[in-house]
Amino acid sequence: MIKWLEGPRKDEDVVVSTRIRVARNIENYKFPQYINLEESKELTDEILNGMKKISGDDNYRFIRINDLTPRERFVYIEEHLISPSLVQKVDKSSFLLRNDEKVTIMINEEDHIRIQVLMPGLNFEEGWQLCTQIDDLLEENLDYAFHERLGYLTSCPTNVGTGLRASVMVHLPCLVMTGHINAIVEALSKIGLTVRGIYGEGSETLGHLFQISNQTTLGEKEESIIKKLNNVIFQVVARERNIRKNLMEKKKVEMEDKIFRSFGLLKHSRLMSSKEAMGHLSNVKLGCEMGIINDVASKEILKLMVEIQPASIQANLNKEMTKEERDINRAQLIRNFL
Amino acid sequence: MIKWLEGPRKDEDVVVSTRIRVARNIENYKFPQYINLEESKELTDEILNGMKKISGDDNYRFIRINDLTPRERFVYIEEHLISPSLVQKVDKSSFLLRNDEKVTIMINEEDHIRIQVLMPGLNFEEGWQLCTQIDDLLEENLDYAFHERLGYLTSCPTNVGTGLRASVMVHLPCLVMTGHINAIVEALSKIGLTVRGIYGEGSETLGHLFQISNQTTLGEKEESIIKKLNNVIFQVVARERNIRKNLMEKKKVEMEDKIFRSFGLLKHSRLMSSKEAMGHLSNVKLGCEMGIINDVASKEILKLMVEIQPASIQANLNKEMTKEERDINRAQLIRNFL
């Protein structure tokens, strides 16, 4: 599980992952929300045809949403491999997933095509390079909807232009603890960046994990968007690190207490909601990064953060569960792991 | 430490201890609050003289409050061996402590003499027998202030008559959890019983431990007071046991979760107040009684409940500590123990 976390992870103490996604549409087809079943089939075939050049060596799986059980759909969402909107139109949407799970090409999400590249740690260079390479290959075979002055045309005007959303998932427990996070979120929004919870737009903040992404796609070059975001992330990472160092110098016992309490609760509870678990796992991850907890790897904690989500819990034991059953099994899964 | 907990303990799953104390005064001496230093010395000598018959075989230690450091005084209080009021008049008060620590004879507390017998578990018979035997021996040598119609005269009118206070310390976590405790406290007060925290009058309830004692001392025989209290305690014990059984049948996972969370926090915290520790130790004690936790003896938890009190913590390491230092050392003491 969570294959995409494998590989070198730069600045992994704060940055969990880097995500690049571009939105593309095909000329002469209606946008996904207006398309009928027949047209969507034709469109999907055309895209799959265009994909052959890339996936010819069989390193992509093609998956129709309709072929997945509702639970399986949510597992892909919890693993950050597809977006929640992709499962809204079950009979029209599908996706291609590269075997290393670092690339997903979603078909008929909000746009005809959404290419997502997911890299562990902070890695805009490789992420952008890979994304633009796939995009170029697709463009050779597909007739992208493109407007000379505006750029790529998209279903939602907020994506018109580059169609690019670059984002990082950052772990900011100490900025949250000290309350500095509010000023930072405000400052980021003033310079055209968005801060969200880990499951995208409108999702709750869990485990002190935040997604920071660009808001504007129009009137700016891709490289400039990414460079700006990269610079900002550097500063956010430095702030979080600085506060961690500070807390370790001035509030060592309090930090150890907070971290070990979470560790103790994770190791002993018999019932635990995913929200509570995310909070404690976040503290334990912090403990790993700060050298307070040494017998767990922080990457394993990140994996656990996905495995304890409601659909993943049920998929793991392959059965439907009530909330209480999930809470029991989640507590057990965590105990067994730690 | 906590020698008096040794020995057989009847109904130990709910009853921690049984205490009998009688208040006595010596004819021709002013009550302790009016006595001067000279008179108190004379009185103390007279009482010690009277004690010779009992303590002749050297199984009592004589301790003057003035010879103890303030911290040492509080350790005796935390161990339930003396009352908080005994340390108010440092130059006039003293006590005799039997080597097994089950008997304390306090001199110049609120009355000239207070004999306290402390037994582990529910044990009114032995407690009362021992107390009355010591009382009789003392009376042979001392001229007790006694009024034909009223009985023993005491400094506070609430003790006039028998001068007897019989009490039990009970552990009622499930009556507290389910909220039944309020109705029980109310019912007990209606039949002339008092419910208090573990460190006596006005003290806070800690660790779901309660002291239940008689309120009336006048117009009733000692045996009848004790019998009545004993019967009531039987009912309280039955109620607590009944609810424990019920919760184990209907809320097993929730109970295990509550108990193991406390266990996990005790095993991992780095900072802990005595109030918080008492709550978690109470849950762990319940876990021992219910067979949920098997690697700790409930008697050891009771000892720990005393050892983590502020003065005992400092006495253990023989140094003065700030609140934070105590919280650190308390957490460490508990971790080491568990």
Side-chain angles (χ1 to χ4, degrees):
Chain A
M1 262 175 120
I2 339 289
K3 273 192 193 173
W4 60 263
L5 260 178
E6 300 305 324
R9 299 188 298 143
K10 246 188 70 203
D11 300 300
E12 55 164 7
D13 56 331
V14 180
V15 186
V16 175
S17 59
T18 304
R19 194 174 69 104
I20 304 277
R21 75 98 170 110
V22 294
R24 298 292 183 251
N25 288 280
I26 311 299
E27 200 71 75
N28 299 325
Y29 283 95
K30 292 176 199 139
F31 283 132
Q33 64 265 48
Y34 303 117
I35 214 168
N36 66 30
L37 197 58
E38 202 49 50
E39 292 163 334
S40 84
K41 275 181 186 162
E42 204 180 302
L43 172 73
T44 305
D45 285 343
E46 189 165 338
I47 294 170
L48 287 177
N49 237 345
M51 271 296 292
K52 275 194 185 139
K53 272 220 172 160
I54 311 170
S55 61
D57 51 350
D58 227 21
N59 58 356
Y60 278 85
R61 273 185 295 153
F62 176 64
I63 299 159
R64 286 177 213 278
I65 298 303
N66 227 348
D67 293 341
L68 300 173
T69 63
R71 192 209 295 154
E72 286 169 330
R73 293 169 202 164
F74 279 104
V75 172
Y76 283 108
I77 294 171
E78 290 173 358
E79 294 184 357
H80 303 283
L81 297 174
I82 63 173
S83 67
S85 347
L86 187 69
V87 306
Q88 299 305 312
K89 301 173 289 294
V90 287
D91 50 350
K92 295 175 194 160
S93 300
S94 55
F95 62 101
L96 287 140
L97 182 61
R98 203 165 83 161
N99 286 342
D100 65 358
E101 301 191 348
K102 286 188 168 70
V103 182
T104 313
I105 295 163
M106 288 175 259
I107 299 172
N108 279 327
E109 202 243 28
E110 210 180 273
D111 295 291
H112 295 150
I113 296 178
R114 288 201 161 186
I115 307 170
Q116 168 182 288
V117 174
L118 204 50
M119 307 295 283
L122 185 59
N123 199 344
F124 277 121
E125 308 87 79
E126 274 189 75
W128 171 240
Q129 203 186 339
L130 183 54
C131 186
T132 200
Q133 177 194 337
I134 295 165
D135 187 34
D136 288 348
L137 285 168
L138 275 176
E139 198 162 16
E140 283 176 25
N141 298 280
L142 294 168
D143 195 7
Y144 277 171
F146 186 84
H147 181 279
E148 198 107 328
R149 196 168 50 82
L150 294 173
Y152 292 102
L153 298 176
T154 55
S155 156
C156 176
T158 57
N159 289 309
V160 168
T162 57
L164 171 75
R165 177 137 289 159
S167 70
V168 286
M169 194 195 292
V170 279
H171 184 225
L172 307 174
C174 292
L175 285 173
V176 174
M177 264 175 228
T178 54
H180 288 97
I181 192 71
N182 299 324
I184 287 179
V185 169
E186 210 174 301
L188 293 179
S189 82
K190 275 187 190 152
I191 55 168
L193 299 177
T194 307
V195 183
R196 294 170 177 168
I198 54 168
Y199 288 112
E201 213 166 329
S203 76
E204 209 180 350
T205 299
L206 285 172
H208 310 128
L209 290 168
F210 297 87
Q211 270 193 63
I212 304 176
S213 62
N214 64 307
Q215 218 159 29
T216 49
T217 52
L218 196 62
E220 219 174 340
K221 297 243 330 163
E222 285 87 344
E223 285 77 5
S224 136
I225 291 171
I226 288 175
K227 198 178 162 191
K228 182 171 130 189
L229 184 58
N230 199 43
N231 289 343
V232 172
I233 298 303
F234 265 135
Q235 289 176 48
V236 173
V237 168
R239 279 295 293 278
E240 169 69 19
R241 279 184 187 146
N242 199 30
I243 293 180
R244 287 185 191 179
K245 197 166 150 266
N246 231 293
L247 287 173
M248 269 308 263
E249 277 163 21
K250 291 182 188 145
K251 301 251 177 202
K252 189 156 185 277
V253 189
E254 286 83 352
M255 290 302 286
E256 290 178 340
D257 186 56
K258 196 179 187 76
I259 287 162
F260 276 112
R261 278 174 180 255
S262 285
F263 191 63
L265 286 173
L266 290 169
K267 265 183 98 153
H268 293 277
S269 295
R270 260 57 184 170
L271 273 176
M272 196 174 271
S273 71
S274 54
K275 191 175 171 182
E276 188 193 350
M278 288 297 279
H280 294 314
L281 287 170
S282 165
N283 287 339
V284 170
K285 180 177 181 300
L286 177 65
C288 299
E289 312 296 1
M290 291 172 101
I292 292 172
I293 287 180
N294 297 309
D295 39 357
V296 193
S298 111
K299 192 170 80 176
E300 299 304 313
I301 299 294
L302 286 175
K303 289 186 182 177
L304 205 52
M305 280 180 163
V306 171
E307 284 167 19
I308 58 152
Q309 296 303 322
S312 299
I313 280 276
Q314 296 175 80
N316 185 33
L317 287 159
N318 195 24
K319 67 177 230 203
E320 288 299 312
M321 295 178 196
T322 62
K323 170 152 185 3
E324 203 198 358
E325 286 170 334
R326 288 201 302 273
D327 288 354
I328 292 172
N329 279 288
R330 181 176 296 113
Q332 192 167 13
L333 179 82
I334 297 170
R335 282 205 310 283
N336 291 348
F337 177 79
L338 294 174
Chain B
M1 263 174 121
I2 337 292
K3 273 192 192 172
W4 61 264
L5 260 177
E6 300 306 324
R9 300 189 297 143
K10 247 188 71 201
D11 301 299
E12 55 164 8
D13 57 331
V14 180
V15 185
V16 175
S17 60
T18 304
R19 195 173 68 104
I20 304 278
R21 75 95 172 112
V22 294
R24 298 291 183 252
N25 289 280
I26 312 299
E27 201 70 74
N28 298 325
Y29 283 95
K30 292 176 200 139
F31 283 131
Q33 63 264 47
Y34 304 116
I35 214 167
N36 67 31
L37 197 57
E38 201 49 48
E39 291 163 333
S40 85
K41 276 181 188 164
E42 203 180 305
L43 172 72
T44 305
D45 285 343
E46 189 166 338
I47 294 170
L48 287 177
N49 238 344
M51 272 296 292
K52 275 193 186 142
K53 272 218 172 161
I54 311 170
S55 62
D57 52 348
D58 227 22
N59 58 357
Y60 278 85
R61 273 184 296 153
F62 176 64
I63 300 159
R64 286 177 213 277
I65 298 303
N66 228 348
D67 293 342
L68 299 173
T69 64
R71 192 209 295 155
E72 286 169 330
R73 293 169 201 164
F74 279 104
V75 172
Y76 283 109
I77 294 171
E78 290 173 357
E79 295 185 356
H80 304 284
L81 296 174
I82 63 173
S83 67
S85 347
L86 188 69
V87 306
Q88 300 303 312
K89 301 173 290 294
V90 287
D91 50 350
K92 295 174 194 159
S93 299
S94 55
F95 62 102
L96 287 141
L97 182 61
R98 203 165 83 162
N99 286 342
D100 65 359
E101 300 191 350
K102 286 187 168 69
V103 181
T104 313
I105 295 162
M106 288 175 259
I107 299 172
N108 278 327
E109 202 242 29
E110 210 180 274
D111 295 292
H112 294 150
I113 296 179
R114 288 201 160 186
I115 307 171
Q116 166 181 291
V117 174
L118 205 50
M119 308 294 284
L122 185 59
N123 199 343
F124 277 121
E125 307 87 79
E126 273 189 76
W128 172 239
Q129 203 185 342
L130 183 54
C131 187
T132 200
Q133 178 195 337
I134 295 165
D135 187 35
D136 287 349
L137 284 168
L138 275 177
E139 198 162 16
E140 284 177 24
N141 298 280
L142 294 169
D143 194 7
Y144 278 171
F146 186 84
H147 182 279
E148 197 107 329
R149 196 169 49 82
L150 294 173
Y152 293 102
L153 298 177
T154 56
S155 156
C156 177
T158 58
N159 288 310
V160 168
T162 59
L164 170 75
R165 177 137 288 158
S167 70
V168 287
M169 194 195 291
V170 280
H171 184 225
L172 307 175
C174 292
L175 285 172
V176 174
M177 265 176 225
T178 54
H180 288 97
I181 192 71
N182 299 325
I184 286 179
V185 169
E186 209 173 301
L188 292 179
S189 81
K190 275 186 190 153
I191 55 167
L193 299 177
T194 308
V195 184
R196 295 171 177 167
I198 55 167
Y199 288 112
E201 212 165 330
S203 75
E204 209 181 350
T205 299
L206 284 171
H208 311 127
L209 291 168
F210 298 86
Q211 270 193 62
I212 304 177
S213 62
N214 65 305
Q215 220 159 26
T216 49
T217 52
L218 196 62
E220 220 173 338
K221 297 246 327 167
E222 287 88 344
E223 285 77 5
S224 137
I225 291 170
I226 288 175
K227 198 179 162 191
K228 182 170 130 190
L229 184 58
N230 199 44
N231 288 343
V232 172
I233 298 304
F234 265 134
Q235 290 176 47
V236 173
V237 168
R239 278 296 292 277
E240 170 69 20
R241 279 184 187 146
N242 199 29
I243 293 180
R244 286 184 190 180
K245 197 166 151 265
N246 231 293
L247 287 172
M248 270 308 264
E249 277 164 20
K250 292 183 187 144
K251 301 252 177 199
K252 189 156 185 277
V253 189
E254 286 84 352
M255 289 302 286
E256 288 177 341
D257 186 55
K258 195 178 186 76
I259 286 163
F260 277 112
R261 277 173 181 256
S262 285
F263 190 63
L265 286 173
L266 290 170
K267 265 183 98 152
H268 293 277
S269 295
R270 261 56 184 169
L271 273 176
M272 196 173 273
S273 71
S274 53
K275 192 175 170 179
E276 188 193 351
M278 288 297 280
H280 295 313
L281 287 169
S282 165
N283 286 339
V284 170
K285 180 177 182 299
L286 177 65
C288 300
E289 312 295 1
M290 290 172 99
I292 292 171
I293 287 180
N294 297 308
D295 39 358
V296 194
S298 111
K299 192 171 79 178
E300 298 305 313
I301 298 295
L302 286 176
K303 289 186 180 176
L304 205 51
M305 280 180 163
V306 171
E307 284 167 19
I308 58 154
Q309 296 303 322
S312 298
I313 279 277
Q314 296 176 78
N316 184 34
L317 287 159
N318 194 25
K319 67 178 230 204
E320 288 299 312
M321 296 178 194
T322 63
K323 170 152 185 5
E324 203 197 359
E325 286 170 333
R326 287 201 303 272
D327 288 355
I328 292 172
N329 279 288
R330 180 177 296 115
Q332 192 168 12
L333 178 82
I334 296 170
R335 283 204 311 284
N336 291 348
F337 177 80
L338 293 174

